[in-house]
Amino acid sequence: MKIDILIIYNDSCPSFEPALERINEVLNELGMSSNIKSRLISNDFEAKKYKFIGSPTIFINGVQFEEVSTEIYRFDNCRTFTKDGDGLSPLPSKKKLIEIFTKLGRNNV
Amino acid sequence: MSNLKLNDPYVNFLLPSTDGNDISLDMADLGEYKLVIFSCNHCPYAQAWEDRIIKIQEKYKSNGLSVIMISSNDALKYPEDSFPKMKERHKEKSFNFHYLFDESQEVAKMYGAERTPEVFLFNEIGLLKYQGTIDDNYENEAEVKIKYVEDAIESLISGKDPKVTQTDAVGCTIKWI
């Protein structure tokens, strides 16, 4: 199956490229194909419009990865994710990405 | 790029600390080696390195190292970085160093700091000997290969200049007013 991924990012936070690399790594390991799009956010108006909560904000098949309920949208923010095990990280958890992609693949069988 | 260059003397300041005092780098009770770190509460990179900063202070306290962490972020746009929230973080994490609020952002501008975290290490006579990042792996402490700050501190303790004197700070941008 093909998974649609949208990564929204800013250019002030260094997380976009390593996050993209991690997503591609997981997809390759699972042998899944994807349609990855990215969108650069440059001001608070765009941040609000695209529900950007920090770089990177990731949508997988339209669902926000580690969804956060907030009305605060700041274009220069870095996104915080939960880490495998314990703690926080600027990058999405590889384990969680595997779980989500595997589930999507299974549901499509 | 930092406004301070290698071997420049530190720029002094007087800022309020989360422990209730006003702190200046000229205070006699600070150690001979001063590690000034621009950081903040909200940034995931700052959070990722927080426990390591505590360990560095603990490890080198007896060698005369004083960590002075400063938050210069715009607390109106980032209320997580307000002074009351900084006090809460200090308490939660039991910081073993001073955590200062640079509300006017003048100190960050004087130093030329751009990221959180970004470190400036000064030797026993107050000259800048290392500036940049803490180590080479923000995500996983167990996979760190190069401990830039610790290597630089070890060099100073043994009376030498650090081999690596500058690296790119990795983290969030300072949130300017």
Side-chain angles (χ1 to χ4, degrees), chain A residues 9-23:
Chain A
Y9 68 102
N10 61 33
D11 60 7
S12 65
C13 181
S15 309
F16 169 60
E17 286 184 6
L20 176 61
E21 196 176 307
R22 177 160 297 175
I23 287 167

Side-chain angles (χ1 to χ4, degrees), chain A residues 83-99:
Chain A
K83 206 172 173 180
D84 287 343
D86 190 28
L88 301 168
S89 172
L91 300 182
S93 147
K94 187 174 176 181
K95 192 177 166 187
K96 278 190 184 167
L97 287 170
I98 290 171
E99 284 171 6

Side-chain angles (χ1 to χ4, degrees), chain A residues 8-9 14 38 40-41 47 61 66 79 83 88 93 103 105:
Chain A
I8 313 179
Y9 68 102
S38 59
L40 174 66
I41 294 293
N61 283 355
E66 275 193 21
R79 175 81 155 86
K83 206 172 173 180
L88 301 168
S93 147
K103 193 176 172 185

Side-chain angles (χ1 to χ4, degrees), chain B residues 76-109:
Chain B
L76 283 179
K77 189 172 182 188
Y78 282 82
E80 311 96 300
D81 294 330
S82 68
F83 198 39
K85 291 290 184 186
M86 287 172 59
K87 288 178 180 174
E88 284 178 24
R89 177 64 61 82
H90 185 145
K91 200 174 172 186
E92 281 166 18
K93 300 290 290 185
S94 301
F95 284 159
N96 52 0
F97 47 78
H98 294 295
Y99 190 20
L100 314 181
F101 186 37
D102 175 26
E103 187 174 13
S104 70
Q105 305 186 320
E106 283 177 18
V107 176
K109 286 173 186 167

Side-chain angles (χ1 to χ4, degrees), chain B residues 97-155:
Chain B
F97 47 78
H98 294 295
Y99 190 20
L100 314 181
F101 186 37
D102 175 26
E103 187 174 13
S104 70
Q105 305 186 320
E106 283 177 18
V107 176
K109 286 173 186 167
M110 285 191 301
Y111 277 71
E114 294 176 347
R115 300 263 164 192
T116 59
E118 181 170 348
V119 312
F120 296 77
L121 175 66
F122 298 94
N123 71 0
E124 71 280 4
I125 56 169
L127 303 181
L128 181 65
K129 291 295 176 180
Y130 173 77
Q131 179 264 324
T133 191
I134 293 168
D135 57 48
D136 67 350
N137 194 320
Y138 54 81
E139 204 183 18
N140 191 343
E141 186 179 355
E143 291 180 11
V144 169
K145 292 186 177 65
I146 308 174
K147 297 180 175 183
Y148 295 108
V149 165
E150 289 198 36
D151 290 349
I153 294 168
E154 296 278 357
S155 294

Side-chain angles (χ1 to χ4, degrees), chain B residues 26-64:
Chain B
D26 284 341
M27 287 170 69
D29 59 347
L30 291 181
E32 56 182 334
Y33 307 114
K34 294 170 181 64
L35 184 62
V36 176
I37 305 177
F38 290 88
S39 191
C40 67
N41 278 8
H42 90 274
C43 170
Y45 292 88
Q47 291 165 5
W49 267 301
E50 227 164 41
D51 288 343
R52 279 173 257 181
I53 295 170
I54 293 170
K55 286 180 191 170
I56 288 170
Q57 175 62 96
E58 183 62 34
K59 184 174 178 181
Y60 294 106
K61 187 180 178 184
S62 61
N63 297 105

